[in-house]
Amino acid sequence: MRIVALAGGIGGAKLALGLSRILSAEELAIVGNTGDDIELFGLRVCPDLDTLVYTLSGLVDPERGWGLRGDTFHCLEALRSYGLPGWFQLGDRDLATHLFRTRMLNEGADLVEVTLEVCRRLGVGPRLLPMTNGYHPTFLETDRGKLHLQEYLVREKCRPEMRSIVYRDIEKARIPEAVLQLLSQADGIVICPSNPLISIGPILAVPGFREAVSAISGARVAVSPIVAGEAIKGPAAKMLGELGLPVSAAGVASLYRGLATHFILDNRDAELQPQVERLGMVVSTRDTIMSGLKEKVDLAEGVIELI
């Protein structure tokens, strides 16, 4: 079996970890979002890719769900002392990842090569690839002006009212050849419970990506990141509401209409099953919260059963 998972940050990383416990490294590949990438202090920072790497390697901070366990922030404090902006949380050991990545990119490697090398050095088994090699950050039009996604999430703490999403120059993005090869060989697709607008949305916005996923004959299973009208993690519910979209698991399912063949609802949203089935999807209900490793593995097993 060859499975490709599409994932963003914390929610996607949780399910990716569960999948990695029941599939071999040869059976599982993950395509990570790079729409939340940002360039800081001359460094290329890839928050979602790094969250996936740190989670799969067992190095992630378990309380925050991002960054490295036990990391310190002395460099960030020193940067602030020089009057430089310190709103983005760059840990000292985390900083080494960004330095390593930027050096490889400057030496001519592409982001696919860099990401695979980071995974190799940190002991990540499954293949993790970026959705594109280019730099196409996500921006939000808000009532406080145009903000980079990280400015909105971290500096502004999601307070501005969102009016639209812009995937910058995404029409110029290209699917890496290695990703196209994975998709062409896939027996099934997993759309992880990541924010459909800012985590999965940028991946599917890369020209040809949605079509490549739709061409896969096997099951394409999406897991809802919205439970009982609230986001499991992050601002997905707030964003859906401000864009005039239904703040529900069914609202998320509507964004994957024609793409996902199967949709997993949380048990608390079982009443939405007929509504999602009308979108043409086979619906299952399970516990999707993934509060511990057992729950992550249980949900992963449910996904694979469908495939």
Side-chain angles (χ1 to χ4, degrees), residues 3-6 24-31 126-129 182:
I3 304 300
V4 177
L6 311 183
S24 70
E26 291 71 31
E27 291 175 313
L28 175 63
I30 303 154
V31 178
R127 286 158 293 174
L128 170 62
L129 302 175
L182 288 174

Side-chain angles (χ1 to χ4, degrees), residues 115-135:
T115 305
L116 290 174
E117 182 63 13
V118 170
C119 287
R120 185 185 72 82
R121 290 176 180 267
L122 295 185
V124 174
R127 286 158 293 174
L128 170 62
L129 302 175
M131 69 188 202
T132 185
N133 280 312
Y135 180 56

Side-chain angles (χ1 to χ4, degrees), residues 3-76:
I3 304 300
V4 177
L6 311 183
I10 297 174
K14 287 182 177 182
L15 183 53
L17 179 61
L19 291 167
S20 75
R21 295 302 177 96
I22 63 173
L23 298 172
S24 70
E26 291 71 31
E27 291 175 313
L28 175 63
I30 303 154
V31 178
N33 170 48
T34 61
D36 67 337
D37 287 12
I38 189 169
E39 293 182 346
L40 292 169
F41 309 114
L43 302 176
R44 176 75 172 272
V45 181
C46 302
D48 276 2
L49 290 180
D50 292 340
T51 295
L52 285 161
V53 169
Y54 297 157
T55 300
L56 292 167
S57 64
L59 299 173
V60 75
D61 185 306
E63 298 300 321
R64 296 179 300 189
W66 55 268
L68 288 159
R69 181 177 59 250
D71 210 351
T72 54
F73 295 86
H74 302 306
C75 183
L76 183 65

Side-chain angles (χ1 to χ4, degrees), residues 259-301:
L259 183 71
T261 58
H262 295 66
F263 196 83
I264 296 181
L265 295 166
D266 189 82
N267 293 326
R268 282 170 283 182
D269 284 324
E271 74 278 1
L272 297 176
Q273 181 167 343
Q275 189 175 342
V276 178
E277 287 176 338
R278 286 195 290 271
L279 298 173
M281 301 176 193
V282 177
V283 179
S284 300
T285 58
R286 303 187 71 93
D287 175 14
T288 63
I289 299 299
M290 296 185 288
S291 54
L293 180 58
K294 181 183 183 301
E295 290 77 13
K296 295 178 180 67
V297 171
D298 286 347
L299 180 56
E301 288 177 341

Side-chain angles (χ1 to χ4, degrees), residues 148-192:
H148 186 286
L149 178 59
Q150 296 301 334
E151 293 175 323
Y152 171 85
L153 293 174
V154 183
R155 191 187 71 193
E156 303 299 326
K157 303 186 187 303
C158 305
R159 288 185 292 254
E161 181 178 336
M162 193 174 72
R163 293 172 177 167
S164 66
I165 302 176
V166 178
Y167 308 129
R168 196 179 79 178
D169 294 330
I170 199 67
E171 69 280 359
K172 299 177 183 177
R174 296 293 178 267
I175 308 173
E177 188 60 37
V179 174
L180 281 172
Q181 185 176 358
L182 288 174
L183 293 174
S184 70
Q185 298 173 348
D187 297 308
I189 292 288
V190 180
I191 303 176
C192 291

